[in-house]
Amino acid sequence: MTLSSISKNPKFLTMLVLFILFAAGLIIYSKFAGLLLIFSLIIFGALSIWWKEKEVKLAGLAALVILSLLNIGLNGMKFGIDFSGGTRIPVILEQAVPAETMNELVQTIKTRASVLGLTEVRVRAIGDTEIDVEIPSSDETQIKFIEDVLSHQGVYFGVVDGKIAITGEDIYSTSIRPSQLQELQQSGADWGVDFSITKNGAETFAQTVKGKPNYPLFMFLDRPNDAVLFISEAELQAGAPPSADISELVAGAKSALSLEDEKTIELYLTNEFEENESSWESMNITPKSNKTKAIVSGSMSETTKQKIKSLGFVLKEVSPDDFTPNFAKSPALGYIPSEWKAVGMLSAPALSPKITEGLPSYSYSISGAVSGTGKDATAEASESTKRIVSILKGGSLPVQISLGSRTSLPANLGSEFLKLSLIGIISALIAISVLVGIRYRHLKTIFPIVAISISELIILLSILGSFTVDLAAMAGIIAAIGVGVDAQIVITDEILKRDNYKMLEKMEHAFDIIKTNVIVAIISMVPLLFSGLVEVIGFAISTMLGSLLGFLLSRPAYAVIAEKVLEEKGGPSTESVEKQ
């Protein structure tokens, strides 16, 4: 087929239009470059199978190679910790834990990271009191968000009238999902997370809230244990309507902090202490233990802080913005905190009369408001949703934690790893070329195998580089190229085989073998893909993409090239490869 006839071929023109659209997509929507390349792989592969012409097979692979090079040139590649360095965040445990508990902690943190969508994260135990979390990022905003997620112990429960009505253990983790926009609009919330609970949890909730219509359900995440709170009248009034009386605000705050089994967080107003030194002695304020925390604002005077410390409390300073509660009017209790970050309160929705009749309900939601407007509000709502989903899905940690000082991981060793990986790939291709040349005793047989292998390398690096290329992904790429060479040798052997079968039948036999190998490879990687082990997900994805690429595009294109080259070599007469 001549160049002129190809340019007039409607199938070729269709592929050209698709190529232009995908190229425009890579330029305009660079954020989704990896997904666009995967989609183009599937589209061009499906067309090469459906239309079957030789030119279509070659054009499909060529188009994908050019798109991959365009993506690398425009958007670059993202490398993981092994290649580009990153940030290490130490998680400090409140107490030493046994090995079994440490393994549980490591797996929980890994799950949280995977729910957040981190493409590479390393979590390793250091002794029995520390866990190091390494992420491939130096972006300050992203690191702070990840630190916020990691810093939570993840203990969730809802309180009604001082009694626990629901806990995180009652939640089915697979049911946790962001609330739909329509649901948020109906409730007036900016963000929300829906979930379902167990039968026992539903029955406990029904009995706890029975006969308490319009009571607030105070929802807490990591509510402090063994703690008291020192706050001024001005700080209470800052988040309340001007008409609210201070006595109402104090009563509402105390109702939110009340909890059964002597777990109430006592509230003390600092105004009288700061005005009258003798008030400290008259109030007889003493900690329950030597670990009792005093929650205070970071803006509190140093004199008052030192006085509280002298009483035997461990200070826990909170930023002024998080320290001040936001108040709302409750139909049942008057003014109550609707959000109070200092004590881990997410929200306090009122119980509708329908669910206080004693009948179990199995679907609930956590919701809240944001302080920003416009795009800032949207971003804050999205981060709040991702944080709660990650923490609830990951589960609670068995001990309280804190974060140490982060450190940067140098990239100099990473560049060495990348260089060695590329040397390994090039060495493998050279070794393959030598072995193929020896096997078939002709240099022309080397060209199509090496050319297709390099094409696969470019495409896989471009796709995976749009997400993150780590050592596991690089290993998967090398394995995929090795499997590809094996398939190409199968095709070559079928072409050179001297028997009574037609070329079409030989190719059908070769691609039956290849198809079986691809199916086995993909199925065997599925458990790794959904294992939750972030370290091996890159290997699974690269292996599956390599298998898909080979079956849809590179193997058929190789068959076309090999047939032409081997005909020129003087092999047996071949017919057109019209079918995989």
Side-chain angles (χ1 to χ4, degrees):
M1 186 177 287
T2 64
L3 183 62
S4 175
S5 61
I6 290 176
S7 62
K8 296 178 182 179
N9 188 330
K11 295 177 182 179
F12 179 81
L13 292 176
T14 300
M15 296 191 75
L16 181 61
V17 170
L18 288 172
F19 169 80
I20 294 172
L21 291 175
F22 282 124
L26 292 176
I27 297 171
I28 299 172
Y29 302 104
S30 58
K31 185 178 179 180
F32 305 102
L35 295 176
L36 285 170
L37 286 174
I38 293 173
F39 189 53
S40 64
L41 187 162
I42 295 171
I43 293 296
F44 287 135
L47 291 178
S48 70
I49 291 175
W50 182 260
W51 286 337
K52 301 177 182 176
E53 283 92 336
K54 294 179 181 179
E55 292 77 13
V56 171
K57 298 178 188 296
L58 295 174
L61 181 62
L64 194 55
V65 170
I66 296 172
L67 288 173
S68 299
L69 291 172
L70 178 65
N71 178 50
I72 294 173
L74 290 175
N75 306 317
M77 295 173 61
K78 298 175 185 176
F79 292 99
I81 300 170
D82 298 311
F83 301 131
S84 63
T87 303
R88 177 184 292 130
I89 304 172
V91 178
I92 312 300
L93 310 185
E94 188 179 52
Q95 62 193 44
V97 297
E100 184 178 349
T101 304
M102 181 62 78
N103 290 335
E104 180 185 342
L105 287 164
V106 169
Q107 290 305 319
T108 299
I109 292 175
K110 284 182 179 180
T111 303
R112 288 187 186 182
S114 63
V115 172
L116 282 175
L118 298 178
T119 48
E120 185 195 9
V121 64
R122 290 178 179 173
V123 184
R124 57 169 65 92
I126 307 296
D128 57 3
T129 59
E130 183 179 333
I131 297 173
D132 279 355
V133 180
E134 297 176 356
I135 57 175
S137 175
S138 300
D139 180 73
E140 185 66 21
T141 303
Q142 186 182 27
I143 291 173
K144 284 186 175 180
F145 175 60
I146 294 169
E147 284 182 327
D148 183 45
V149 172
L150 294 177
S151 64
H152 286 87
Q153 186 182 357
V155 178
Y156 165 77
F157 56 81
V159 178
V160 177
D161 196 20
K163 296 181 179 180
I164 294 178
I166 184 174
T167 70
E169 295 178 356
D170 299 322
I171 299 174
Y172 287 115
S173 61
T174 54
S175 69
I176 300 169
R177 64 173 181 84
S179 301
Q180 299 297 319
L181 179 60
Q182 185 178 0
E183 297 171 342
L184 294 176
Q185 291 173 341
Q186 290 175 351
S187 64
D190 294 316
W191 62 268
V193 176
D194 298 335
F195 55 85
S196 299
I197 62 175
T198 63
K199 180 181 178 182
N200 289 338
E203 292 174 349
T204 300
F205 184 87
Q207 291 302 312
T208 305
V209 305
K210 185 177 181 180
K212 297 176 181 176
N214 297 316
Y215 267 64
L217 172 62
F218 296 112
M219 294 189 176
F220 292 95
L221 184 65
D222 292 339
R223 181 183 183 273
N225 293 320
D226 191 13
V228 298
L229 187 140
F230 291 88
I231 191 170
S232 68
E233 292 181 2
E235 287 167 331
L236 278 177
Q237 292 172 320
S243 59
D245 183 76
I246 186 62
S247 60
E248 290 182 283
L249 299 180
V250 171
K254 287 186 175 180
S255 69
L257 300 177
S258 175
L259 188 59
E260 58 189 340
D261 298 331
E262 299 183 353
K263 293 182 179 179
T264 295
I265 298 175
E266 299 294 343
L267 183 146
Y268 299 103
L269 293 176
T270 59
N271 297 65
E272 50 187 291
F273 301 141
E274 294 173 346
E275 294 170 2
N276 188 355
E277 184 71 21
S278 62
S279 298
W280 292 99
E281 288 74 20
S282 63
M283 289 295 292
N284 192 28
I285 304 173
T286 56
K288 294 180 182 178
S289 70
N290 59 2
K291 293 184 178 180
T292 301
K293 294 181 286 292
I295 305 170
V296 300
S297 171
S299 61
M300 177 181 281
S301 68
E302 287 300 320
T303 303
T304 306
K305 289 179 185 177
Q306 292 304 318
K307 183 61 179 178
I308 295 172
K309 287 183 69 175
S310 69
L311 295 174
F313 291 99
V314 178
L315 287 187
K316 180 185 178 183
E317 295 189 36
V318 180
S319 68
D321 291 339
D322 292 344
F323 189 71
T324 301
N326 294 321
F327 281 89
K329 193 69 177 284
S330 164
L333 301 181
Y335 285 106
I336 60 164
S338 58
E339 182 186 28
W340 201 348
K341 293 181 179 179
V343 293
M345 183 189 295
L346 301 172
S347 61
L351 297 171
S352 65
K354 184 177 179 181
I355 65 173
T356 61
E357 297 174 353
L359 298 176
S361 179
Y362 297 91
S363 298
Y364 295 92
S365 66
I366 301 171
S367 59
V370 297
S371 56
T373 57
K375 291 183 178 180
D376 292 338
T378 302
E380 186 179 346
S382 176
E383 286 190 359
S384 297
T385 302
K386 288 174 68 175
R387 181 174 63 252
I388 301 303
V389 169
S390 171
I391 292 170
L392 290 182
K393 280 196 172 185
S396 62
L397 302 175
V399 296
Q400 291 191 341
I401 61 174
S402 60
L403 298 184
S405 300
R406 75 176 84 128
T407 56
S408 296
L409 300 174
N412 54 350
L413 292 177
S415 60
E416 187 67 20
F417 283 144
L418 179 59
K419 183 171 72 174
L420 291 174
S421 297
L422 293 176
I423 290 173
I425 293 174
I426 295 171
S427 300
L429 289 176
I430 293 173
I432 289 168
S433 302
V434 172
L435 292 174
V436 169
I438 294 173
R439 175 182 174 85
Y440 296 111
R441 300 178 183 178
H442 201 291
L443 292 178
K444 284 188 176 181
T445 57
I446 298 175
F447 167 72
I449 291 180
V450 173
I452 293 297
S453 297
I454 292 175
S455 300
E456 290 180 338
L457 176 63
I458 293 171
I459 293 168
L460 291 174
L461 281 176
S462 183
I463 293 176
L464 294 168
S466 300
F467 303 101
T468 299
V469 178
D470 55 11
L471 274 179
M474 192 66 77
I477 291 173
I478 295 172
I481 292 174
V483 172
V485 171
D486 177 67
Q488 291 159 25
I489 290 175
V490 170
I491 294 172
T492 305
D493 285 344
E494 287 294 331
I495 292 175
L496 294 176
K497 190 183 294 183
R498 297 181 180 276
D499 51 30
N500 295 325
Y501 291 102
K502 296 180 179 179
M503 183 57 63
L504 186 60
E505 295 172 326
K506 292 182 177 184
M507 288 299 99
E508 285 180 342
H509 181 252
F511 277 97
D512 282 342
I513 297 173
I514 294 170
K515 185 188 299 182
T516 302
N517 291 339
V518 167
I519 293 172
V520 170
I522 292 177
I523 292 176
S524 64
M525 289 297 112
V526 170
L528 291 181
L529 186 64
F530 296 101
S531 65
L533 300 175
V534 183
E535 298 93 339
V536 298
I537 289 177
F539 179 81
I541 292 175
S542 57
T543 301
M544 295 174 74
L545 282 174
S547 299
L548 194 64
L549 169 64
F551 179 70
L552 293 178
L553 282 173
S554 62
R555 312 290 188 270
Y558 172 78
V560 174
I561 298 173
E563 178 188 358
K564 182 67 175 174
V565 169
L566 293 176
E567 275 183 351
E568 293 175 357
K569 178 190 169 185
S573 178
T574 61
E575 298 178 15
S576 294
V577 181
E578 298 291 343
K579 188 175 180 180
Q580 293 185 25

